[in-house]
Amino acid sequence: MVKQSKRRRVLPGFGLSMGYTVIYLSLIVLIPIAVLFLKATTISLAEFWETITDERVVASYKLTFYTSFVAAMVNVLFGTLIAWVLVRYDFVGKRFVDALVDLPFALPTAVAGIALTAIYAPNGWIGQYFEAAGVKIAYTQYGIMIALTFIGLPFVVRSVQPVLQELDQQYEEAAATLGANSAQIFFKIIFPAIFPAVLTGFGLAFARALGEYGSVVFISGNMPMKTEIVPLLIITKLEQYNYGGAAAIAAVMLVISFLLLFLINFWQWRTARKHQVT
Amino acid sequence: MGITITGVTKKFGAYPAVKDINLEIPTGDFVALLGPSGSGKTTLLRLIAGLEGLDTGSIIFNGVDFSFKNVKERKVGFVFQHYALFKHMTIFENVAFGLKVRPRKLRPSRSEIKDKVLELLRLVQLEHLADRYPSQLSGGQRQRIALARALAVEPEVLLLDEPFGALDAKVRQELRHWLREIHRKLNITTVFVTHDQEEALEMADTVVVMNHGKIEQIGSPAEVYERPANAFVYSFLGRVNEFRGAALYNDVAIARDSAVEAVGYIRPHEIGLSRFSNGVGIPAEASHVNAVGSTVRVVLKRLDTEDYFEAELTSGNFRELGPFHKGDILYADFTNIVVFEAITDSEHSKEREKVTVGAFSAFT
Amino acid sequence: MIAREHVHLKSPGASRFALAPIKKWLLIGTALGFLGIFILIPLIAVFTEALKKGIELYFAAITEPDALSAIKLTLITAAIAVPLNTIFGVIAAWGIAKFNFKGKNILITLIDIPFAVSPVIAGLVFVLLYGSNGVLGPFIEANNLKIIFSVPGIVLATTFVTFPFVVRELIPIMQEQGTEEEQAAITLGASGWQMFFRVTLPNIKWGLLYGVILCNARAMGEFGAVSVVSGHIRGLTNTLPLHVEILYNEYNFTASFAVASLLALLALLTLVFKSFLEWKTKK
């Protein structure tokens, strides 16, 4: 400890910064989160287990994970493509398109929710054509997937785009001079380079989709067992003054979200460190 | 201002960056801290500046203990390796910064600041760039502005971290003369860090050779070059050939059964070459001859041990000898070889090997 | 460019480059098509639906008292939450980016938590903490305070949700800038505040503004978290997004989209400003 005090830092403000950071972080984030876990323990273990294994709750977990996964996969596919097009090609209006990618970040989720519902409702701009073909989008799982795709898209694009930008075309040219065809170049040169970023983008989009509420609640129809997502179920419990139940369901979701967050951050540090070495 | 450094040690975590440093810098001296990367020279410079806190020992400025005084109180001018010019300020504002941040009572008036800044810009010959931003300047110009900025606060000690490290050879050469000139004019105690032995020997009054956090030798350029204290200093200051084992025992008469391993060094230009054996020469075959410029560099292979070594002779001597070619046999005279006790510390010998290999690879 | 073409022509796969323009436009077409359907059409839909029944109804919808009070509450909420998180962001980023210490990565992950937490859960934690059945419920009632179903709850939930925006924007920028300029300022005799305001702040100002813009967009648009804590009391605890929901659930679609169009405009403004800042910092 004596040694510690001797080790003076040249730049000022470290103590102030850390003190303020820890206090503010605790007040706004950590303590409230801790209270949730505390509340979840106020009900007995049996009750807790019963709550989270209730048929309706399990159905909503399944639905939430399934639709989030599908949406994140769609985003991986199209997000990577969009990143590629934005980095590698020039076309009129590219700046506009690039800015537009961030719209889901900037547009309030409720607005996205009602707009998507209007479009995909049976009489909506796009919904009417599907309706004619006998396919319902709004008020079904497909509607949820569309909303989750909307809000997750920027995560993949913005993860992959900078990596593609940094990727030196010399590697591709080197591969081409060595006789690789374009499919080989993509799968052996480009894809390995962008894979960590794609995975990060997937993780972020997936994590965001799991917790999404605003854009989904309008388009999903909210039918128990069928189109009821977890966040909605939490609100339902809350409206029934079932605080313990709401806390129990939320605690499970939180643990999963934290695991995802740690995985993503760990993955990013790992790839960042790998890049530093080379 | 004189600086006395006594028993200074600094660790980063478990890694000792400098170990028990003792150094006396007289007022007005121009000192080079010379060493390979990781030798602790930059850490020592930052300790003097107060940019790092020391673990043990003391740093005394003119009899006053500054060990625990903060950077501000030390009145040092520090020139950073990458200059650290403020990107968002003009050159004028950069140089004026140190004067403008003074407490109101001590702050010079606007016009005084302006005069002072312009005077400094004249000193570094960049008056015409006052309104430019750092990004619009060349590396050499940035270096000069960084110096002007450091001088603006009228420091009693000027500290420079690898001042010419990031510059190309020609600019570096110019700035060396220029910095000496500034030192002559202002006579501020100046300490600079470098890994370039040529730079240290050419510019400094005193050279402090460092390795692995310790001082290996302190002396004038002539002293450290002519009378190196140990194997490290010898091999670090200039190109060397290293001989050990059989090769060494063939060259000099030393007891083979000596308890400590010996190692011999000889600089390329100290090797005598002749066409004929005159009793002392070791036969060697020329494997590469580079006769460009005023010096001729030759790589030879000893016929006795098959070791390669490098010799250097003036073009005059080369002509005198009768120009020779690859494959010719010559006789090498190693009488000037200097023998040191080999350093047993594995870390040290590794470092030294790197240095000698470097000297050769630059050539071949 | 010329050199690159040269390599391509010489490469063994030269024939495939005859296909390149078609492939290129196919890729661009797919990407733009996807963006058009998923992003552009919803945006257009908001404005079309809002103006469907004429400009008069549009203005009536956004100037009725409940709408105005929602606008007011949204502005108040952002005016508290954004500065709080901005101050925190600058202070925290200073410590995290400019110093080395153990547990830095853990601290960053803790700061990220609000990004990973569902907005609904963000609202729920404050209900569990400050609600009448909450941990602090008795204390709050005893002191005649009101947090949940009231403005303080909305501000708290919004602050939680927008917590990491500024700090996460600043950390990489400050890290990249290193500490040399600050050290130079200190060796030149600057005090801590002088160093901060004259050297650090000018260097991060665009990044800071960027973070503030994003933080503000989210603060004004937050729905889930605010929905849980607000109690949906018209004219009192309704923010703009909540007002959109109420109107929508009353089948008052045109008015709902009219209010939503205000938020969409805010989003567009944010994007324009964001693009401008990106262009400015790239320069």
Side-chain angles (χ1 to χ4, degrees):
Chain A
M1 271 340 268
V2 178
K3 233 181 180 175
Q4 200 71 21
S5 62
K6 261 193 180 176
R7 244 178 52 201
R8 202 166 34 85
R9 296 173 196 269
V10 177
L11 296 184
F14 179 72
L16 174 81
S17 163
M18 282 304 115
Y20 185 78
T21 300
V22 169
I23 291 171
Y24 187 74
L25 177 71
S26 303
L27 284 179
I28 301 290
V29 179
L30 299 183
I31 294 172
I33 294 277
V35 165
L36 180 119
F37 284 108
L38 201 73
K39 193 79 186 177
T41 59
T42 55
I43 56 175
S44 72
L45 204 64
E47 237 181 311
F48 181 84
W49 185 248
E50 203 180 307
T51 309
I52 64 165
T53 54
D54 175 66
E55 209 182 3
R56 187 171 159 190
V57 178
V58 171
S60 82
Y61 278 137
K62 274 188 189 158
L63 174 78
T64 305
F65 274 90
Y66 172 60
T67 51
S68 298
F69 182 80
V70 172
M73 283 311 285
V74 171
N75 280 329
V76 160
L77 212 65
F78 285 93
T80 308
L81 172 69
I82 290 165
W84 175 266
V85 165
L86 287 175
V87 171
R88 288 299 168 90
Y89 302 136
D90 273 317
F91 51 91
V92 184
K94 185 165 131 172
R95 291 273 299 273
F96 170 75
V97 173
D98 191 46
L100 204 64
V101 168
D102 280 330
L103 186 77
F105 277 161
L107 193 70
T109 51
V111 178
I114 61 168
L116 289 170
T117 313
I119 296 166
Y120 291 100
N123 59 352
W125 290 355
I126 297 176
Q128 56 181 308
Y129 299 108
F130 282 93
E131 183 76 10
V135 179
K136 280 194 191 308
I137 293 182
Y139 319 124
T140 69
Q141 286 188 3
Y142 302 118
I144 300 176
M145 286 173 197
I146 282 175
L148 295 180
T149 306
F150 175 86
I151 55 128
L153 181 70
F155 288 101
V156 179
V157 179
R158 295 300 181 225
S159 296
V160 177
Q161 203 177 5
V163 180
L164 268 179
Q165 220 134 32
E166 300 260 297
L167 191 67
D168 196 330
Q169 290 205 8
Q170 274 184 12
Y171 294 113
E172 290 156 53
E173 290 170 355
T177 59
L178 294 171
N181 63 34
S182 43
Q184 285 170 324
I185 290 175
F186 182 80
F187 285 107
K188 301 211 177 223
I189 309 290
I190 298 167
F191 189 71
I194 62 170
F195 177 70
V198 171
L199 200 65
T200 304
F202 172 85
L204 291 170
F206 183 64
R208 173 72 202 266
L210 286 183
E212 180 55 21
Y213 173 69
S215 60
V216 178
V217 72
F218 296 97
I219 203 169
S220 69
N222 307 327
M223 276 177 295
M225 305 298 296
K226 279 192 183 145
T227 58
E228 191 178 47
I229 54 166
V230 177
L232 183 75
L233 198 59
I234 293 173
I235 289 193
T236 309
K237 295 272 177 210
L238 206 55
E239 279 168 357
Q240 296 162 348
Y241 303 105
N242 184 353
Y243 293 108
I249 298 169
V252 173
M253 282 309 274
L254 264 185
V255 169
I256 293 164
S257 300
F258 288 170
L259 280 177
L260 268 172
L261 175 68
F262 274 107
L263 272 176
I264 294 166
N265 276 3
F266 177 74
W267 176 253
Q268 279 178 327
W269 294 327
R270 227 188 62 148
T271 44
R273 210 177 314 145
K274 232 164 59 183
H275 279 263
Q276 265 170 12
V277 172
T278 49
Chain B
M1 181 155 63
I3 305 167
T4 309
I5 297 165
T6 321
V8 163
T9 300
K10 171 72 182 175
K11 281 183 182 166
F12 292 112
Y15 173 76
V18 298
K19 297 177 252 187
D20 193 26
I21 294 284
N22 293 293
L23 180 61
E24 179 86 45
I25 300 171
T27 307
D29 204 10
F30 197 30
V31 180
L33 300 180
L34 173 68
S37 59
S39 61
K41 54 193 192 303
T42 295
T43 305
L44 181 57
L45 191 79
R46 291 173 64 86
L47 283 165
I48 298 172
L51 288 169
E52 305 286 351
L54 39 77
D55 293 341
T56 60
S58 67
I59 294 177
I60 292 164
F61 281 32
N62 270 0
V64 184
D65 191 345
F66 270 52
S67 309
F68 296 101
K69 295 232 163 140
N70 66 29
V71 185
K72 227 174 139 171
E73 292 165 295
R74 297 192 187 202
K75 297 207 79 176
V76 295
F78 199 97
V79 177
F80 290 81
Q81 191 180 356
H82 302 289
Y83 322 130
L85 293 179
F86 305 127
K87 290 186 278 294
H88 61 286
M89 296 181 198
T90 62
I91 297 311
F92 182 94
E93 288 166 338
N94 261 283
V95 178
F97 183 88
L99 300 171
K100 283 188 179 166
V101 296
R102 283 193 187 163
R104 190 149 306 183
K105 272 180 281 175
L106 301 172
R107 197 185 308 157
S109 73
R110 255 170 183 281
S111 63
E112 279 168 340
I113 290 178
K114 194 177 171 193
D115 291 344
K116 174 92 192 171
V117 171
L118 291 179
E119 183 197 317
L120 281 161
L121 288 176
R122 262 195 299 279
L123 180 73
V124 300
Q125 296 151 9
L126 291 174
E127 249 181 307
H128 56 293
L129 298 178
D131 296 326
R132 301 273 184 92
Y133 284 89
S135 60
Q136 299 168 301
L137 267 56
S138 72
Q141 290 171 333
R142 283 180 211 177
Q143 176 59 262
R144 279 143 72 182
I145 295 304
L147 185 70
R149 186 179 68 176
L151 290 174
V153 293
E154 292 171 4
E156 296 183 44
V157 179
L158 185 61
L159 306 170
L160 304 100
D161 186 7
E162 296 269 2
F164 312 124
L167 302 171
D168 58 55
K170 191 163 172 282
V171 181
R172 204 181 306 177
Q173 197 54 251
E174 284 168 18
L175 284 185
R176 279 185 201 167
H177 293 298
W178 173 81
L179 185 60
R180 271 248 57 134
E181 192 59 17
I182 298 248
H183 179 254
R184 198 185 54 77
K185 270 189 207 161
L186 305 174
N187 205 30
I188 300 175
T189 309
T190 303
V191 183
F192 73 101
V193 156
T194 180
H195 62 265
D196 181 343
Q197 83 276 0
E198 210 181 296
E199 194 166 287
L201 296 177
E202 188 183 316
M203 292 173 69
D205 299 328
T206 307
V207 177
V208 177
V209 185
M210 293 185 68
N211 190 31
H212 292 294
K214 283 187 173 150
I215 293 179
E216 301 279 357
Q217 190 174 5
I218 306 171
S220 70
E223 273 166 8
V224 293
Y225 190 80
E226 309 280 342
R227 293 193 296 282
N230 55 38
F232 173 77
V233 177
Y234 191 95
S235 59
F236 194 69
L237 293 177
R239 303 160 82 92
V240 287
N241 292 293
E242 180 183 309
F243 295 121
R244 41 176 81 218
L248 179 61
Y249 300 118
N250 289 355
D251 303 337
V252 286
I254 49 169
R256 235 170 209 279
D257 51 81
S258 166
V260 283
E261 201 202 335
V263 58
Y265 291 107
I266 187 162
R267 298 203 191 279
H269 68 86
E270 290 173 327
I271 297 175
L273 288 181
S274 56
R275 284 278 188 179
F276 307 101
S277 167
N278 44 13
V280 288
I282 305 267
E285 181 191 328
S287 69
H288 183 85
V289 181
N290 179 8
V292 178
S294 61
T295 54
V296 177
R297 289 173 171 177
V298 195
V299 175
L300 300 109
K301 188 172 91 177
R302 293 175 66 141
L303 296 181
D304 57 346
T305 58
E306 307 221 311
D307 285 327
Y308 285 89
F309 64 95
E310 181 191 335
E312 195 179 286
L313 54 171
T314 62
S315 50
N317 285 345
F318 184 60
R319 269 194 306 275
E320 246 169 62
L321 208 55
F324 51 85
H325 304 281
K326 187 177 168 184
D328 289 359
I329 302 291
L330 296 158
Y331 292 87
D333 177 0
F334 293 121
T335 39
N336 283 325
I337 202 160
V338 185
V339 180
F340 292 104
E341 202 175 287
I343 310 157
T344 41
D345 181 350
S346 61
E347 228 188 327
H348 276 218
S349 60
K350 209 194 282 169
E351 183 63 47
R352 197 192 40 221
E353 246 163 61
K354 225 166 67 197
V355 173
T356 46
V357 167
F360 272 115
S361 57
F363 173 67
T364 45
Chain C
M1 267 333 271
I2 290 164
R4 191 167 291 156
E5 287 303 318
H6 190 60
V7 172
H8 280 167
L9 288 175
K10 267 182 134 181
S11 72
S15 62
R16 78 201 148 88
F17 287 96
L19 275 172
I22 301 173
K23 209 169 67 184
K24 172 184 161 183
W25 289 109
L26 211 66
L27 291 178
I28 294 179
T30 315
L32 294 189
F34 185 84
L35 280 171
I37 291 174
F38 272 87
I39 295 188
L40 198 57
I41 291 186
L43 188 63
I44 295 168
V46 173
F47 292 100
T48 318
E49 294 284 334
L51 295 166
K52 216 176 189 174
K53 298 200 176 144
I55 198 99
E56 273 159 43
L57 250 146
Y58 177 83
F59 279 110
I62 59 174
T63 52
E64 55 126 351
D66 286 349
L68 288 179
S69 83
I71 292 174
K72 196 173 144 201
L73 181 58
T74 298
L75 292 177
I76 289 172
T77 306
I80 300 171
V82 175
L84 275 180
N85 286 334
T86 303
I87 292 165
F88 161 73
V90 173
I91 293 177
W94 173 258
I96 291 168
K98 303 277 182 179
F99 297 88
N100 279 321
F101 56 94
K102 270 188 190 146
K104 188 191 270 194
N105 285 343
I106 293 171
L107 185 63
I108 294 175
T109 299
L110 290 178
I111 288 173
D112 271 348
I113 284 179
F115 276 160
V117 170
S118 168
V120 167
I121 297 178
L124 173 69
V125 296
F126 289 105
V127 173
L128 295 178
L129 187 57
Y130 299 111
S132 49
N133 286 309
V135 176
L136 296 177
F139 170 81
I140 286 163
E141 263 170 33
N143 287 288
N144 237 345
L145 298 171
K146 201 146 172 53
I147 291 179
I148 299 307
F149 306 143
S150 169
V151 177
I154 292 172
V155 172
L156 268 174
T158 305
T159 307
F160 178 100
V161 169
T162 56
F163 182 87
F165 278 90
V166 177
V167 63
R168 282 304 255 160
E169 199 56 53
L170 288 182
I171 288 173
I173 296 172
M174 283 178 142
Q175 235 154 14
E176 203 195 305
Q177 281 170 352
T179 56
E180 271 209 344
E181 282 189 42
E182 276 86 3
Q183 288 183 14
I186 296 281
T187 62
L188 291 170
S191 70
W193 293 116
Q194 284 174 324
M195 173 208 67
F196 179 75
F197 284 106
R198 289 171 187 242
V199 176
T200 309
L201 202 57
N203 273 334
I204 59 166
K205 62 179 177 214
W206 298 118
L208 180 63
L209 204 56
Y210 192 97
V212 169
I213 297 292
L214 295 186
C215 184
N216 180 64
R218 182 69 194 268
M220 290 191 172
E222 178 50 29
F223 175 71
V226 171
S227 172
V228 173
V229 295
S230 95
H232 301 89
I233 307 162
R234 272 196 167 196
L236 281 178
T237 62
N238 252 1
T239 61
L240 275 177
L242 297 179
H243 195 56
V244 169
E245 186 198 19
I246 289 189
L247 292 171
Y248 189 87
N249 287 343
E250 288 169 346
Y251 301 101
N252 192 351
F253 294 134
T254 306
S256 171
F257 276 102
V259 176
S261 75
L262 291 180
L263 289 167
L265 275 178
L266 170 75
L268 287 177
L269 228 96
T270 303
L271 292 188
V272 169
F273 213 56
K274 190 168 171 282
S275 302
F276 167 75
L277 287 176
E278 270 159 1
W279 169 78
K280 187 95 195 162
T281 46
K282 238 179 241 164
K283 218 170 42 161

